[in-house]
Amino acid sequence: MAARREKNPSAERKGKNTQNGTQTSQVQWGRAWEVDWFSLASILFLLIFAPLIVYYFIMSCDQYQCSLTDPLFDLLTGNKHLSDIWSRTPTLTYRAAGIYTLWVTFQVFLYVFIPDFCHKFLPGYVGGVQEGAVTPAGAVNKYEINGLQAWIITHVLWFANAYYFHWFSPTIIFDNWIPLLWCANILGYAVSTFAMIKGHFFPTNAKDCKFTGNFFYDYMMGIEFNPRIGKWFDFKLFFNGRPGIVAWTLINLSYAAKQQELYGQVTNSMILVNVLQGIYVLDFFWNEAWYLKTIDICHDHFGWYLGWGDCVWLPYLYTLQGLYLVYHPVQLCTANAVGILMLGLIGYYIFRMTNHQKDLFRRTNGNCKIWGKKPEYIECSYMSVDGTKFYSKLLTSGFWGWARHFNYTGDLMGSLAYCLACGFQHLLPYFYIVYMTILLTHRCIRDEHRCFSKYGKDWKCYTAAVPYRLLPGVF
Ligand code: NDP
C-alpha cells in the first residue's frame, strides 16, 4: 500500500487524498509535510524548555532536597541568583565522561554484535531477526530483536559486580548523576544533529524522508523515518530501548544502593518502585518485537524528539521517584504498600492484556477468543492514494469494548502507583503521572485524528459503539 502511495508523491504533498469518503491531509504516515504556527511554537517551546525542565528537577533534588518551589522562591525573592545555583551545580567530569562512553559503547556492542539467543530457550519469546511494519515508502525493515538479552547481560554484570567483583560501587550512577546529565545531553544533541545532517546528505532511504523546509521542525521531529548505519544499526530501535530503558532499572538499583549506604536499609517504597518499574521495563523488552508495530516506530521520524528524549528525558525524568526516595526515604505502612502494589499490578495487567487482545485479534484476523468468546468488531475499510481499497477490523469487545484506549488507562494506573509510593510530602514525584496523562491524552487525540482520516465513517461507527476514550462513563 505504502509503496503505491509513494509512487504518487505530488498527490501526497498536496495533502488531498480521499480516503473512505473523507477529505484528509496526509497525516496518517509519520509527521506532517507542512508546519502550522501552533506546532512551530510548541516545538520552539520544547526545544528551549525541555532541557531546562530536566535540569530544574535534578538540580532541585541536588540542592533543595527535591523541593520544586524553594528554588523559585529563592530566585523570586532575590535570596539567590541564577549564578549561585549554577555555581553549585556539578560540572562535567572525566570520570562521568568515561563511565558514559563505556556504557554507550557496551550497549552498542550488545546491540550490534551479539545476535539474540533468548528466543532459542525462552518459550513464547519473540526475538532474533524480525520484520517491522511497512514504511511510507513501502520498505519493510528487518530488526535484530535482542533487547531482552542486552538487559539480562547488563543486569547480570551489575549484580556480579555488586556482590562479587566490586569493580565499582553500585551507587556509581547516583554519585555521578549530574555530570552524567551533561554527557547524556552531549549524546542527545550529537545524535539528533547527526540524524539531521544524515537526512539531508546521506539518508538510508531517501523516499522515507520528509522535509518541511522549517529547520526547527525538521530538527525536532526528524527527517529520516528509519536512519540506519550499515544493515543493522537502527537509530530508533537502539535509542528507544538502549541506553535509556536498559538504564532505567540500573538507575533505580543505584538509588536503592544509595539508600542502603545512607540509611542502612532500603525502604519498602523504594522496593515497590524498583519492582513495578522493573516489571514495566521487562515487559518492554519481552515485547520488543511487538513494539516495532507501535506508533513510536511506525509513525514517528527520528529527530531531537526521539534522539534527545531517549538519551536525556527518559532516563532522568522517568526515574524521579527513586531519586526522590534517596532524599526522602518513605517507609509505607503495610496496608498502603499492599494497596499501591495492587494498583500497580492491576494497572500493569490491564495495560498488558489490552495490548495483547488487540495484537491477538489483528494477528489472527479475528479468529480467536477474547474473554472466552468470539470477538466482536466493526468491519472497516480505507483507501490508498492510488484508489486501492483495503479492509481492516476494529475490536469492540474485551477491554476494547470498555474504552478506545484502555491500554493507556492501565499505563496511567501503573504510573500513579509509582508516584503514590513516594507519599504526599512533595510535588516532584508526581511529575510522572502529570506528564504521562498529558502524553497519553495527546496521543489518544493524535491517534484518533489519524484513524478518522484513515477509516472515515467506519471510525464514526466505532466511536459510537465504544464512546469513551480512557475512562468508561467519564472521558
Ligand atoms: P495502540 O497500541 O493503542 O495503537 C493504536 C493503533 O491501534 C491505532 O492507530 C489503530 O491502528 C489500532 N487500533 C485502534 N483501535 C483499535 C481497535 N479497537 N481494534 C484494533 N485495532 C485498533 O497505541 P500506541 O502504539 O500509542 O501504544 C502502545 C502501548 O505503549 C500502549 O499501551 C501505551 O500505553 C504504551 N506507551 C507508553 C509510553 C511511555 O512513555 N511509557 C509512551 C507511548 C506509549 P490501525 O491503523 O492499524 O487501525
Side-chain angles (χ1 to χ4, degrees):
M1 173 190 89
R4 288 196 199 103
R5 179 181 9 239
E6 200 57 41
K7 279 182 194 154
N8 190 2
S10 58
E12 195 171 351
R13 275 192 195 89
K14 278 183 215 141
K16 295 286 179 207
N17 308 315
T18 302
Q19 295 198 359
N20 208 357
T22 52
Q23 284 286 301
T24 165
S25 59
Q26 190 64 35
V27 288
Q28 63 270 45
W29 286 93
R31 61 167 180 72
W33 283 103
E34 282 156 17
V35 189
D36 59 81
W37 68 268
F38 180 74
S39 307
L40 184 61
S42 315
I43 272 160
L44 288 174
F45 177 86
L46 281 174
L47 276 172
I48 296 166
F49 287 104
L52 291 179
I53 291 171
V54 177
Y55 171 73
Y56 188 84
F57 275 81
I58 304 304
M59 176 280 297
S60 300
C61 286
D62 187 46
Q63 298 186 25
Y64 288 88
Q65 295 284 309
C66 300
S67 166
L68 287 179
T69 46
D70 285 357
L72 266 183
F73 183 78
D74 265 1
L75 288 172
L76 291 176
T77 55
N79 247 353
K80 289 242 171 74
H81 295 288
L82 276 177
S83 55
D84 299 325
I85 291 179
W86 186 247
S87 65
R88 287 175 58 204
T89 303
T91 53
L92 178 62
T93 60
Y94 282 115
R95 181 171 163 73
I99 295 168
Y100 199 74
T101 309
L102 200 68
W103 164 249
V104 177
T105 312
F106 183 56
Q107 290 308 314
V108 172
F109 172 77
L110 292 178
Y111 177 60
V112 177
F113 295 106
I114 314 221
D116 185 70
F117 59 78
C118 286
H119 70 281
K120 295 192 175 150
F121 65 88
L122 286 175
Y125 171 67
V126 182
V129 177
Q130 299 293 328
E131 284 188 349
V134 184
T135 73
V140 177
N141 288 311
K142 284 195 160 64
Y143 296 84
E144 175 69 41
I145 298 296
N146 60 1
L148 183 67
Q149 170 177 285
W151 187 88
I152 293 171
I153 294 174
T154 308
H155 284 70
V156 165
L157 283 176
W158 176 271
F159 282 107
N161 169 69
Y163 291 102
Y164 187 73
F165 293 116
H166 307 294
W167 291 318
F168 55 84
S169 161
T171 63
I172 190 168
I173 303 177
F174 176 88
D175 295 337
N176 293 278
W177 201 217
I178 294 185
L180 285 171
L181 173 63
W182 308 133
C183 303
N185 268 287
I186 292 170
L187 181 65
Y189 278 97
V191 80
S192 318
T193 309
F194 177 75
M196 175 94 172
I197 296 169
K198 184 171 166 347
H200 275 282
F201 297 106
F202 48 103
T204 305
N205 186 343
K207 286 185 181 166
D208 267 328
C209 291
K210 279 194 178 179
F211 299 92
T212 60
N214 184 294
F215 174 83
F216 294 108
Y217 192 89
D218 287 352
Y219 185 68
M220 170 98 174
M221 299 310 287
I223 291 173
E224 273 199 86
F225 194 60
N226 290 119
R228 284 188 170 203
I229 292 180
K231 198 174 163 202
W232 292 109
F233 189 85
D234 183 88
F235 279 54
K236 252 198 235 172
L237 192 66
F238 178 77
F239 283 99
N240 247 308
R242 319 80 176 283
I245 301 188
V246 176
W248 188 344
T249 33
L250 287 187
I251 295 164
N252 280 343
L253 286 171
S254 183
Y255 292 155
K258 195 68 192 178
Q259 259 201 352
Q260 178 71 38
E261 183 188 288
L262 290 174
Y263 312 107
Q265 62 154 343
V266 179
T267 60
N268 58 4
S269 53
M270 179 66 96
I271 294 171
L272 266 178
V273 167
N274 266 265
V275 168
L276 290 176
Q277 295 190 346
I279 292 173
Y280 194 75
V281 167
L282 255 178
D283 177 275
F284 172 86
F285 285 117
W286 184 270
N287 294 294
E288 200 179 15
W290 160 83
Y291 183 71
L292 296 177
K293 308 278 162 71
T294 64
I295 292 173
D296 282 353
I297 300 276
C298 292
H299 302 295
D300 291 339
H301 288 233
F302 187 86
W304 185 87
Y305 166 73
L306 287 179
W308 181 87
D310 293 333
C311 290
V312 182
W313 186 268
L314 190 150
Y316 277 83
L317 295 189
Y318 283 29
T319 57
L320 279 178
Q321 288 81 30
L323 181 62
Y324 173 85
L325 291 171
V326 173
Y327 292 93
H328 301 272
V330 172
Q331 187 65 25
L332 297 161
C333 70
T334 310
N336 286 353
V338 171
I340 292 167
L341 180 66
M342 292 314 291
L343 176 69
L345 291 180
I346 293 170
Y348 170 71
Y349 175 78
I350 291 174
F351 161 82
R352 174 54 25 230
M353 284 315 293
T354 313
N355 286 327
H356 171 71
Q357 285 178 353
K358 188 188 82 174
D359 185 44
L360 180 70
F361 172 73
R362 280 279 171 95
R363 255 191 302 117
T364 58
N365 195 26
N367 294 313
C368 60
K369 292 228 161 129
I370 303 285
W371 288 347
K373 289 193 219 143
K374 268 184 84 65
E376 291 163 26
Y377 55 83
I378 285 179
E379 294 270 7
C380 49
S381 63
Y382 59 95
M383 242 181 252
S384 65
V385 182
D386 63 2
T388 314
K389 199 167 185 181
F390 292 88
Y391 293 92
S392 188
K393 293 183 173 78
L394 293 166
L395 180 62
T396 55
S397 60
F399 283 124
W400 293 88
W402 288 14
R404 300 199 292 272
H405 299 274
F406 217 58
N407 48 349
Y408 292 178
T409 311
D411 208 344
L412 288 174
M413 286 167 69
S415 308
L416 180 64
Y418 316 153
C419 304
L420 288 174
C422 299
F424 297 105
Q425 255 196 322
H426 281 279
L427 282 174
L428 182 130
Y430 287 85
F431 165 80
Y432 189 66
I433 182 67
V434 173
Y435 164 73
M436 285 296 283
T437 306
I438 296 170
L439 176 88
L440 293 180
T441 309
H442 176 255
R443 211 173 165 96
C444 248
I445 293 164
R446 189 161 67 115
D447 185 50
E448 297 213 347
H449 182 59
R450 190 186 74 81
C451 287
F452 177 61
S453 303
K454 183 171 175 182
Y455 298 122
K457 63 177 171 35
D458 293 336
W459 183 256
K460 280 200 166 168
C461 293
Y462 171 62
T463 56
V466 187
Y468 293 101
R469 284 180 168 127
L470 290 172
L471 264 190
V474 182
F475 173 68

